[in-house]
Amino acid sequence: MQKKIMLGGGIAALLAIVVALMLAMGRDNSYGVLYTNLSDKDGGAIIAQLQQMNVPYKYADGGGALLIPTDKVHDVRLKLASAGLPKGSVVGFELMETQRFGVTQFQERLNFQRGLEGELTRSIQTLAGVESARVHLALPNQNGFFREQQKASASVVLTMYPGRALDRGQVAGIVHLVSSSVPEMSTKAVSVVDQSGELISSALESSDQAGLDAKQLQYVRQSEANYTQRIKDSLEPVLGQHNLRAQVTAEIDFSQTESTAEEYRPNQNPSEAAVRSQQTSEQSGPGAPAPSGIPGASSNQPPTPASAPVNGNAQPLQATQGNAAGASGSSRREAVTNYEVDKTVRVTRNATGNIKRLNAAVVVNHRMVTDAKGNRVSEPISDLEMEKLTSLVRETIGFSEQRGDSIKLINTAFQKVETPEPEAVPLWQQPEAVDLIRTLALPLALTLAAVVIAFGVIRPALRAARPPAPAAEPELTKLSALIDDPQVLPGIDAGPVPPGMVRAPDGQLLPALGTPAGDVRLESARQLARENPMALANMMRAWMSSN
């Protein structure tokens, strides 16, 4: 009964270990992320829905994520989406779908503004690096009776992920996104604030105060790295790979300049000038008659009527001798000529990113030579070769004296820095080994326990439960011959046996027990008794029952 109890308990323990091993092997990858950063309201609604669907769930470390079995993640997401979960704290234009009957105009405008704010918030939260956002719109009521209408404005509050920041281009994108979504909203009326309360949209108003943005800094670094690599590519074939160090500093002008010039050419030759308009005016008339004759009654008479014919050419006036001086008359002539004006308007826009100045610093190591004794020693480079290397660097970077570039090339011995070798970390202290041990510790422990139970409990119980083997026939002849039994040796000629000898069943003489040769026979009998104890017991029983 004790063996049976041990056998049943061992089998039950072995099955429990196998089940625990299977659960431990599939525990790590059995859960996947369903949702992260859920609000309390959405989290409670989702958990209630999971309980109705009989889906197991658990929280990640810190409660930041909701985990469910990996094979059910996509199905559960689709089912929750059909149920409208998670709703989220941001409400968009779906607010307009649930309008109640009898809503006032003010409530309708307020719901529209809330929906527009929610849609803008959703759009901004899709940007990389933005954890959450809030948008506040100020939409004044437009009235046709006002001469000057108040413009709309907006404010955006951003919460960034830890270690993330927005550059000027991303802030400008958010500003233009908000201003383009609201009619008649200017980009200057949009304010963007981060989670620390800093106004980050002010950098867009003045480029002088903002300084260089990320793209401009990247362009400067790329330019400096390009010139440095040029110097290395030119000098390394001459000096060796690790025998020089070069650094280039570039001053780049990113200012934008636009100029407009109007030029007028001087007066040209009238024969070559283009006439725009020409006007000529000419006037002539008789002069005042000079006084003549004797003062008196005859001089006060009216003039005689003209004797010229009605039709025909006019007769020339003939001045008398008395009034010849007053008949000369007067004339006037004016001429105005307008020429085309030679005008040139020139608009010049300077390109950005022009190099203002380059500063290059190059350090060259001493040259290694072999002395007369065959030892490797270092010696400085000659001045003539240094001048050649300096000229090579000038041509490589495009040296310009008018621009104010400078190049400094020096020759010195490099210091050999001996970096200490890192101490060898034992295998059991390496992170990979520690993770592997943690992963395999439980499965190995369960496997070892299963082996101990199988070989220490179940196997002995099975051996004890086996029926005893049938007894073999005693080998009486061989055993009697070994112990020198004379009763089992009939028919053998009982001749004289020398002392210390016995006769075998086949009639041969063998050494008796107690002699050195007989000890061998005694050991053979003992071995036979160990191998077949039942036969020896039957033999002893037969001997004791006989005479």
Side-chain angles (χ1 to χ4, degrees):
M1 183 59 65
Q2 182 180 1
K3 298 296 182 181
K4 292 181 180 180
I5 293 175
M6 291 177 59
L7 180 61
I11 294 175
L14 185 62
L15 293 177
I17 291 175
V18 171
V19 173
L21 184 61
M22 294 176 61
L23 293 177
M25 293 296 293
R27 180 182 60 181
D28 296 336
N29 298 327
S30 59
Y31 280 83
V33 178
L34 180 62
Y35 292 111
T36 59
N37 298 326
L38 289 173
S39 61
D40 296 339
K41 184 177 180 181
D42 289 339
I46 291 175
I47 289 176
Q49 192 71 20
L50 292 178
Q51 292 176 352
Q52 294 180 2
M53 298 166 59
N54 294 326
V55 176
Y57 64 91
K58 65 179 182 179
Y59 295 100
D61 296 337
L66 185 62
L67 306 179
I68 63 172
T70 306
D71 54 347
K72 299 181 180 180
V73 171
H74 300 289
D75 295 338
V76 172
R77 283 182 181 177
L78 294 177
K79 292 179 181 179
L80 292 177
S82 63
L85 295 174
K87 296 181 179 180
S89 59
V90 179
V91 182
F93 281 133
E94 63 270 11
L95 186 64
M96 306 296 295
E97 299 176 358
T98 58
Q99 292 287 344
R100 295 176 298 177
F101 181 75
V103 64
T104 62
Q105 184 179 3
F106 174 76
Q107 293 177 345
E108 185 177 0
R109 289 183 60 255
L110 185 60
N111 291 336
F112 174 77
Q113 181 174 345
R114 290 180 57 194
L116 183 58
E117 290 176 351
E119 295 296 332
L120 290 175
T121 301
R122 291 175 179 176
S123 301
I124 295 174
Q125 287 180 353
T126 58
L127 301 179
V130 178
E131 182 178 2
S132 62
R134 294 194 65 182
V135 179
H136 303 279
L137 297 179
L139 304 179
N141 188 12
Q142 302 296 332
N143 194 338
F145 294 99
F146 295 157
R147 178 175 301 176
E148 295 182 358
Q149 300 290 342
Q150 187 177 1
K151 300 298 181 180
S153 60
S155 300
V156 181
V157 181
L158 301 178
T159 301
M160 309 300 299
Y161 285 105
R164 301 288 186 89
L166 297 177
D167 56 10
R168 292 181 58 192
Q170 293 174 327
V171 176
I174 294 175
V175 170
H176 283 276
L177 173 65
V178 176
S179 62
S180 301
S181 302
V182 181
E184 298 182 0
M185 178 180 287
S186 175
T187 56
K188 297 181 179 179
V190 181
S191 302
V192 182
V193 183
D194 60 2
Q195 67 269 22
S196 61
E198 181 180 358
L199 183 63
I200 58 179
S201 60
S202 60
L204 305 177
E205 300 177 358
S206 176
S207 59
D208 296 337
Q209 299 178 357
L212 299 181
D213 58 4
K215 293 183 178 179
Q216 293 175 352
L217 291 175
Q218 183 180 4
Y219 178 77
V220 173
R221 295 192 186 99
Q222 289 179 353
S223 300
E224 294 175 351
N226 186 20
Y227 283 112
T228 303
Q229 189 62 35
R230 287 184 184 180
I231 296 175
K232 291 183 178 179
D233 294 341
S234 301
L235 299 184
E236 280 184 353
V238 180
L239 302 174
Q241 184 176 5
H242 301 288
N243 291 327
L244 78 153
R245 298 292 185 270
Q247 291 293 333
V248 177
T249 303
E251 296 181 8
I252 300 179
D253 184 13
F254 291 100
S255 61
Q256 298 179 357
T257 305
E258 180 178 351
S259 60
T260 303
E262 295 183 2
E263 298 179 357
Y264 295 90
R265 299 183 61 182
N267 296 330
Q268 302 177 359
N269 189 1
S271 60
E272 298 178 359
V275 178
R276 182 176 184 181
S277 61
Q278 187 175 8
Q279 181 180 1
T280 303
S281 175
E282 185 176 354
Q283 297 178 358
S284 61
S292 60
I294 301 172
S298 60
S299 60
N300 293 329
Q301 294 296 324
T304 60
S307 61
V310 177
N311 296 325
N313 296 329
Q315 297 296 327
L317 297 176
Q318 294 180 358
T320 60
Q321 185 178 3
N323 58 2
S328 60
S330 63
S331 63
R332 180 181 179 185
R333 184 176 182 178
E334 295 179 358
V336 178
T337 303
N338 296 324
Y339 296 95
E340 290 291 345
V341 178
D342 191 358
K343 176 182 178 182
T344 302
V345 179
R346 183 177 292 104
V347 179
T348 305
R349 294 184 179 90
N350 295 333
T352 61
N354 296 326
I355 297 177
K356 297 174 59 178
R357 186 179 179 185
L358 289 178
N359 299 324
V362 183
V363 182
V364 179
N365 190 14
H366 284 178
R367 181 167 295 170
M368 301 299 295
V369 296
T370 304
D371 58 1
K373 297 181 180 180
N375 299 326
R376 298 285 294 176
V377 296
S378 62
E379 65 177 11
I381 302 176
S382 62
D383 296 339
L384 179 59
E385 190 171 358
M386 289 295 295
E387 292 180 0
K388 294 181 180 180
L389 294 177
T390 304
S391 301
L392 181 60
V393 174
R394 289 180 179 176
E395 296 297 331
T396 301
I397 66 174
F399 179 82
S400 176
E401 187 176 358
Q402 291 80 8
R403 198 168 52 191
D405 298 346
S406 64
I407 296 176
K408 188 66 175 179
L409 187 66
I410 63 174
N411 179 221
T412 184
F414 287 0
Q415 297 292 334
K416 295 182 180 180
V417 180
E418 297 180 358
T419 57
E421 296 182 359
E423 297 181 359
V425 181
L427 180 61
W428 60 86
Q429 294 183 359
Q430 295 181 2
E432 297 82 3
V434 173
D435 294 340
L436 183 61
I437 291 174
R438 290 178 179 176
T439 304
L440 300 179
L442 183 60
L444 291 178
L446 294 177
T447 304
L448 182 59
V451 172
V452 171
I453 292 175
F455 288 94
V457 179
I458 298 178
R459 185 177 179 182
L462 291 176
R463 284 184 177 181
R466 292 178 183 176
E473 292 294 333
E475 299 179 1
L476 299 179
T477 303
K478 183 177 180 181
L479 185 60
S480 300
L482 290 176
I483 63 177
D484 194 14
D485 187 2
Q487 294 183 1
V488 296
L489 300 175
I492 297 179
D493 187 10
V497 179
M501 301 293 289
V502 295
R503 190 179 297 276
D506 54 358
Q508 297 181 0
L509 295 177
L510 299 175
L513 298 178
T515 61
D519 295 340
V520 178
R521 295 173 57 214
L522 181 60
E523 184 65 27
S524 300
R526 292 175 179 173
Q527 182 177 1
L528 180 61
R530 287 192 297 268
E531 293 178 354
N532 198 349
M534 297 300 295
L536 181 59
N538 294 334
M539 178 65 67
M540 295 298 294
R541 187 181 298 107
W543 286 350
M544 294 175 66
S545 61
S546 63
N547 297 329

